[in-house]
Amino acid sequence: MKTSQPTDADVRGERTFGGAVVTRTADSTRTFGRTLRLAFRATAYLIVDIARGRFPMREAIVQGWFFVSVSAVPAVLVALPLGVVIAVQVGSMTDNVGANSMAGAVGGMGVMQQIAPLAAALLIGGAGGSAISADLASRTIREEIDALRTLGIDPQRRLVSPRILAMVVVAPMLSVLIILMSILASFAVASLGQGVAPGSYWLSFGSFASTTDLIVCLFKAAVFGYVVAVISSQRGLEAKGGPKGVADSVNAAVVLSIIACMVVNLFITQVVLMFVPMRFL
């Protein structure tokens, strides 16, 4: 019985596939290293310039106001349906087990611990991250970044650091807005549509939700803002290829930022559960 021998085309195909995998892995590793280097340098510039009183605070305020203007209304529009969905789902479950008074506890814990920071991450990744990447990528394509370097101005100090500070400040604000609107929407549905007593709703909410949950939520949102700002800045500063490069950098920034936030959220959640376990009545 004859056995088929691999042809030269098969060997070349295997080599090409293996070489592509190795090349892509090496490129991804180098990109990750450059992202870490940008994060460390921009953070160091941020701390040093604030300590010396040389930080471009005006740029940070302008960027922060822009992030608020493009994210506040979407945050409200996202939070209201989330609150309604939570109230409907939790209400049907608690009604089946005869525990309508616990609707506030379940809804409040879910919103504060997971939904609010993740929703903030999606908003800042889609709105703020795309804006950062598009701005820096267009400057890179127009060679404005090279002009700054020629003048002796570090773009990471002048452009990246203010955006990191603005995003770190705005992200927790968005999470607080999402918490407020989601809980109000959930309370309205539970009290008006499901017959839950308002007093029992807020009592159960106060029994389970704690200051620690709020602190963890704000910390998560700040970390997500930092991650989004760093990744979006890195993709924008490395854009190339004309207008198509700007579009590619924006797409990559949004996708990578959201994925990174999901991974970071998983890590933070596991660490928090190790040291701050859930409380039960």
Side-chain angles (χ1 to χ4, degrees):
M1 183 175 180
K2 295 182 179 179
T3 58
S4 59
Q5 298 294 330
T7 62
D8 294 339
D10 295 333
V11 173
R12 288 194 299 270
E14 292 178 358
R15 290 177 179 175
T16 302
F17 177 76
V21 171
V22 173
T23 302
R24 182 61 60 88
T25 303
D27 292 341
S28 300
T29 303
R30 286 192 291 266
T31 301
F32 181 71
R34 292 195 301 270
T35 304
L36 288 180
R37 183 175 61 183
L38 183 145
F40 290 144
R41 292 189 61 184
T43 305
Y45 288 145
L46 173 64
I47 296 173
V48 172
D49 289 346
I50 290 178
R52 293 180 177 179
R54 299 172 53 189
F55 184 76
M57 190 60 67
R58 178 181 176 84
E59 178 71 13
I61 294 175
V62 170
Q63 293 298 322
W65 176 251
F66 173 76
F67 296 150
V68 170
S69 64
V70 299
S71 302
V73 175
V76 174
L77 297 179
V78 168
L80 291 177
L82 284 176
V84 173
V85 170
I86 292 172
V88 172
Q89 295 293 329
V90 172
S92 62
M93 181 181 64
T94 55
D95 184 65
N96 291 331
V97 298
N100 287 335
S101 60
M102 302 303 296
V106 179
M109 291 175 61
V111 170
M112 293 183 66
Q113 293 182 2
Q114 298 296 333
I115 294 178
L118 286 177
L122 294 175
L123 289 171
I124 60 178
S130 60
I132 292 175
S133 180
D135 181 25
L136 296 182
S138 61
R139 292 172 184 244
T140 301
I141 296 301
R142 295 195 301 264
E143 299 182 353
E144 293 182 13
I145 302 299
D146 293 335
L148 289 177
R149 293 193 177 100
T150 302
L151 295 173
I153 301 174
D154 193 334
Q156 296 181 9
R157 167 173 272 167
R158 182 64 180 82
L159 300 177
V160 177
S161 294
R163 285 162 173 78
I164 290 178
L165 180 61
M167 191 69 80
V168 169
V169 173
V170 169
M173 296 169 59
L174 288 179
S175 66
V176 171
L177 179 61
I178 293 171
I179 291 173
L180 177 62
M181 301 307 298
S182 297
I183 293 177
L184 289 179
S186 177
F187 168 73
V189 174
S191 60
L192 300 178
Q194 297 175 343
V196 178
S200 62
Y201 183 95
W202 293 116
L203 180 62
S204 62
F205 175 80
S207 299
F208 279 84
S210 63
T211 306
T212 303
D213 296 328
L214 180 60
I215 293 174
V216 172
C217 173
L218 297 179
F219 175 75
K220 280 185 178 182
V223 173
F224 295 159
Y226 180 85
V227 171
V228 169
V230 169
I231 293 177
S232 301
S233 298
Q234 188 271 335
R235 301 308 301 178
L237 291 176
E238 295 189 359
K240 55 184 178 180
K244 182 178 181 299
V246 177
D248 292 340
S249 68
V250 171
N251 293 334
V254 173
V255 174
L256 293 176
S257 298
I258 293 176
I259 293 176
C261 289
M262 297 298 176
V263 175
V264 172
N265 177 69
L266 177 62
F267 176 76
I268 296 177
T269 301
Q270 294 300 320
V271 173
V272 170
L273 290 178
M274 289 174 57
F275 295 98
V276 186
M278 286 187 178
R279 299 186 299 111
F280 295 94
L281 291 177

